Amino acid sequence: MAEAQIIDGKKIAADVRAEVATEVARLVKEHGVKAGLAVVLVGEDPASKVYVKNKAQQTVEVGMNSWEYKLPAETSEAEVLALVQKLNNDPACHGILVQLPLPKHINSEKVLNAINPDKDVDGFHPVNVGRLWVGERALVPCTPTGSIILAKSVRPNLSGMDAVVIGRSNIVGKPVAALLLRENCTVTIAHSRTKNIEDIVKCADLVIAAVGIPEMVKGSWIRPGAIVIDVGINRVPSENGKTKLVGDVAYDECAKVAGAITPVPGGVGPMTIACLLRNAAQAAAMQIGVKSAFA
Ligand code: GUN
């Protein structure tokens, strides 16, 4: 059997960023507004610091204003809430992202729910979750949006496909299921308590794996020709004594059976920041009351 088409997330993310740059320039030219995104990082989590640095760099590259608030780990919840309020009230700031995880003494839910839903570029606020599920215009979580864009790069019309989502998190599983439903897929959400998960995945034309278990999805689970989108990023020990990144999908086995598959790294990963920038541009258009190129 032929090997699967490899879906190039790096390339597609660059295409999305180019679209965002065009939209940002249009908002400046036609409305005199430069979109702006603020990122709040509390503490010293090394992975979060790398993330935030990449976000800031790419925000500037697409022509947006970028603000980084780096607060010490001992910052109080009240101080973080006060910063969120300040950004909510700042008309130059169209998007607010509070990097997770927050230190343990801060209630993440309280902080995320304090963000103005129209500036909630993560799409985590319950108002945006509700808007997504009822089909209203919403800011939608970034990784799910990126996963759908990758699937549609292979098959532009997903209507009628049997999609199986593995994982039910608020960040990926649930919102990606909502988006698939909006694309007219028949959607099954499988999770850690699902019986006969292998048989369920085997029925899927489209598999979206977001469980956080290294290489859980085996080649024998995949229906020949299926599209496989791997959201997992797991660091595991490698043969040379170092660590390597693997997805939630056993890539080599699945690539022999699937029609198309995302690699890890270089698949869904690069799409997340690209879609964050897209959300910030959408938020800016919404706040100035004009039609967005993206929603
Ligand atoms: N930490 C890891 N991924 C994310 C994300 O998508 N959004 C936020 N706010 N924090 C994260």
Side-chain angles (χ1 to χ4, degrees):
M1 176 164 315
E3 284 269 326
Q5 173 191 340
I6 298 167
I7 303 172
D8 186 348
K10 259 174 94 168
K11 153 95 177 45
I12 297 168
D15 294 345
V16 171
R17 290 197 303 274
E19 286 170 25
V20 174
T22 302
E23 174 71 348
V24 170
R26 182 186 74 86
L27 294 175
V28 171
K29 184 158 172 276
E30 294 180 8
H31 304 285
V33 173
K34 184 165 172 171
L37 172 64
V39 174
V40 178
L41 172 65
V42 187
E44 302 287 329
D45 179 62
S48 290
K49 278 164 91 169
V50 174
Y51 237 63
V52 167
K53 188 165 149 256
N54 289 338
K55 275 177 197 155
Q57 190 185 335
Q58 294 183 29
T59 304
V60 172
E61 277 169 14
V62 296
M64 286 188 209
N65 284 322
S66 168
W67 301 277
E68 275 176 77
Y69 292 87
K70 293 185 184 160
L71 309 178
E74 55 282 4
T75 305
S76 70
E77 184 180 284
E79 285 170 299
V80 177
L81 288 169
L83 174 57
V84 167
Q85 274 324 323
K86 180 175 96 98
L87 296 170
N88 279 343
N89 294 330
D90 179 355
C93 168
H94 304 99
I96 304 169
L97 181 136
V98 177
Q99 184 67 26
L100 301 175
L102 286 167
K104 288 197 171 35
H105 65 277
I106 299 178
N107 181 338
S108 303
E109 195 175 301
K110 201 164 163 189
V111 172
L112 296 180
N113 290 0
I115 297 172
N116 175 346
D118 292 339
K119 297 192 177 189
D120 168 36
V121 284
D122 262 326
F124 294 162
H125 193 289
V127 165
N128 279 315
V129 177
R131 286 175 180 162
L132 170 63
W133 281 98
V134 297
E136 280 181 29
R137 188 167 72 158
L139 288 165
V140 177
C142 306
T143 305
T145 302
S147 302
I148 299 292
I149 293 173
L150 293 181
K152 290 178 85 167
S153 76
V154 180
R155 196 168 137 163
N157 184 357
L158 305 178
S159 181
M161 289 182 93
D162 290 323
V164 173
V165 177
I166 313 173
R168 55 173 154 175
S169 70
N170 290 328
I171 294 179
V172 184
K174 287 181 204 165
V176 87
L179 289 173
L180 289 165
L181 207 50
R182 199 192 250 189
E183 296 289 337
N184 300 312
C185 292
T186 303
V187 185
T188 303
I189 305 178
H191 50 78
S192 55
R193 309 284 175 87
T194 298
K195 286 179 286 164
N196 307 325
I197 192 163
E198 169 177 351
D199 296 338
I200 288 170
V201 174
K202 188 96 195 176
C203 296
D205 306 312
L206 171 59
V207 180
I208 300 200
V211 264
I213 300 175
E215 301 180 316
M216 174 178 141
V217 178
K218 307 299 178 204
S220 61
W221 298 20
I222 302 297
R223 179 177 185 164
I227 299 173
V228 179
I229 307 292
D230 188 353
V231 180
I233 300 181
N234 308 291
R235 202 168 274 285
V236 296
S238 78
E239 299 77 30
N240 61 12
K242 295 191 180 152
T243 60
K244 62 174 179 176
L245 287 183
V246 298
D248 292 346
V249 169
Y251 180 85
D252 291 341
E253 293 174 16
C254 292
K256 290 192 172 69
V257 190
I261 188 167
T262 59
V264 176
V268 175
M271 296 299 289
T272 299
I273 296 180
C275 291
L276 170 72
L277 302 175
R278 195 175 182 267
N279 275 354
Q282 181 189 329
M286 278 162 42
Q287 281 156 57
I288 57 179
V290 302
K291 194 165 163 27
S292 164
F294 304 124

